[in-house]
Amino acid sequence: MPSSLSPSLPPSLRITSVSAVSVAQAAAWYEVTAAAVRHDLPDDTPPSPEQVLGALRAAAPPDGDRRFWLAADPEGRTVGVASLLLFGSAGQRHLAELEMSVHPGHRREGVGAELLTQVVAAMRAEGRRALIGRVVVDGPGAAFAVAQGFRPVLPLTHLLLDTARADTRWADSVPPGHSLVTWTGTVPDALADALAAAKNAMNDMPTGEMDFGSRHWDAERVRAMARVVADRGDTLLTVAAMAGERMAGYTEVVLRPGEKDRAQQYDTVVVPEHRGHGLGLLLKAAMVRRVRADHPTVTEIETDNADDNTHMLAVNERLGFRAYRRTCVYQLELELEQEEEQEQQEQEEGQKEEQGVTE
């Protein structure tokens, strides 16, 4: 563990650890995160109370686990919050993801460091060796991450698309032998296996120096992830390209409650054997047309791309996306005890054998 992690609880700070967040705790969580966004990103709109409540009370992703911490001052006011996602996929059981906010009026008081100490302790108990979190480049989170021993592993460019000005003519270029299908929410049963196979193509996406591991998708995992999105109160839209009974690619957009003018881009994937035919551009253009027709209040779509994903950056530029912010994934590597490390290695080897993975 980095020596900069706080060894003891700062005076008058009380940390509460919970596995499920109450409505009252979610309201306090909202106040902290909204204050942080207003201070750090004054041009942004903070998440709505409904979005925060939905995100906190939704189920964890398939096979995963979530933990939450709230830090309170002597008057009982929540001044910092942290959530930890312990990934559950067989190829990611070394990994956890952190989201943390400290109220701007209570920074530099040891709140973030103590929350991180609690998070790291929970990771060690689960035998996790890598912790990732995303921060705004040149923002206070980046300085905090470096001070706590994190290192930058994946720079990201965030982009916005004006849906009214997007160039959607690419949606008319469906290659011979392909057809487009659309759905809302959970994938239709007849397409579940095909979508799972296409999602497995994400394992070759650029991840920089991040120790991201791999995910294995099957039909049930696809359905479970859609339930997670629905539990948050979000609406999941999908456009897919079919080549016979196989899915050649797909793109996903999410509409969040209380956010009528902006949608969030999720996955856009083209499976390897169907690349080089413009399917990524076709799918995203078709999605813009769908959003325009079915959700006319949406005027912007937000996405982010790894800086080394030059192909998708080019696709987004041709469609009309413009860069507006940079963030970076930072990673903290933990030194596990020898017994923990050996147990984890044995577990990972067993997982590889279970999936039929060979070196």
Side-chain angles (χ1 to χ4, degrees):
M1 182 188 302
S3 59
S4 53
L5 294 184
S6 63
S8 60
L9 191 69
S12 305
L13 187 67
R14 178 169 55 86
I15 305 290
T16 301
S17 174
V18 294
S19 57
V21 176
S22 69
V23 173
Q25 288 170 330
W29 200 292
Y30 164 75
E31 294 297 335
V32 171
T33 55
V37 170
R38 293 189 189 104
H39 181 272
D40 301 336
L41 302 168
D43 295 331
D44 271 25
T45 300
S48 68
E50 294 82 6
Q51 289 173 14
V52 172
L53 177 62
L56 292 172
R57 305 199 79 187
D63 303 322
D65 192 15
R66 299 174 74 196
R67 313 282 175 82
F68 307 95
W69 292 265
L70 297 93
D73 67 8
E75 287 73 39
R77 294 171 299 197
T78 300
V79 297
V81 295
S83 68
L84 181 69
L85 171 61
L86 299 163
F87 288 85
S89 187
Q92 293 185 307
R93 289 180 186 155
H94 63 288
L95 184 65
E97 184 173 15
L98 171 67
E99 292 185 11
M100 184 165 66
S101 294
V102 176
H103 193 286
H106 292 271
R107 292 175 179 171
R108 300 185 180 277
E109 297 176 0
V111 178
E114 180 54 35
L115 285 168
L116 183 58
T117 297
Q118 302 287 329
V119 167
V120 168
M123 286 184 59
R124 287 186 176 281
E126 296 291 336
R128 305 297 174 118
R129 69 169 186 266
L131 176 65
I132 57 174
R134 184 184 301 193
V135 299
V136 176
V137 170
D138 298 327
F144 173 82
V146 171
Q148 298 298 327
F150 287 77
R151 64 184 180 92
V153 292
L154 183 66
L156 300 160
T157 298
H158 292 243
L159 307 102
L160 282 176
L161 176 69
D162 181 338
T163 56
R165 302 180 64 180
D167 185 355
T168 63
R169 58 195 168 98
W170 316 102
D172 299 321
S173 303
V174 180
H178 292 71
S179 61
L180 296 183
V181 294
T182 67
W183 66 87
T184 300
T186 305
V187 61
D189 288 345
L191 297 175
D193 287 328
L195 178 59
K199 279 187 174 288
N200 283 318
M202 288 190 296
N203 284 323
D204 68 357
M205 67 180 180
T207 56
E209 298 178 34
M210 180 170 48
D211 187 7
F212 191 69
S214 62
R215 293 174 176 169
H216 175 71
W217 293 86
D218 57 22
E220 182 49 40
R221 185 178 182 85
V222 166
R223 296 186 186 100
M225 187 59 76
R227 289 194 293 269
V228 170
V229 174
D231 283 349
R232 296 197 303 254
D234 297 348
T235 301
L236 175 63
L237 309 178
T238 306
V239 176
M242 302 299 297
E245 295 183 355
R246 295 189 175 185
M247 193 169 292
Y250 68 92
T251 190
E252 299 170 328
V253 159
V254 165
L255 309 175
R256 301 189 297 199
E259 191 172 356
K260 295 182 179 180
D261 59 347
R262 183 178 292 185
Q264 303 295 318
Q265 177 76 61
Y266 273 34
D267 297 340
T268 298
V269 174
V270 177
V271 301
E273 57 266 33
H274 292 276
R275 292 172 185 168
H277 303 289
L279 284 181
L281 195 53
L282 160 70
L283 288 164
K284 298 192 81 162
M287 176 63 82
V288 174
R289 286 187 178 178
R290 180 182 180 189
V291 170
R292 284 176 180 169
D294 298 344
H295 304 277
T297 64
V298 174
T299 59
E300 293 179 322
I301 298 175
E302 179 179 4
T303 191
D304 61 71
N305 288 131
D307 284 4
D308 55 358
N309 192 351
T310 54
H311 174 72
M312 190 54 66
L313 282 167
V315 166
N316 285 328
E317 182 178 349
R318 293 175 75 183
L319 194 60
F321 278 89
R322 58 179 177 82
Y324 81 103
R325 176 182 300 142
R326 289 180 55 74
T327 64
C328 186
V329 177
Y330 279 71
Q331 180 170 299
L332 177 68
E333 291 93 11
L334 302 184
E335 294 181 2
L336 298 179
E337 297 294 334
Q338 187 173 1
E339 290 183 5
E340 291 177 324
E341 190 170 4
Q342 182 177 353
E343 181 179 347
Q344 187 180 67
Q345 289 175 350
E346 291 174 353
Q347 184 182 52
E348 290 175 354
E349 290 300 323
Q351 290 158 5
K352 289 181 179 180
E353 291 178 4
E354 184 177 314
Q355 295 178 31
V357 178
T358 58
E359 295 295 341

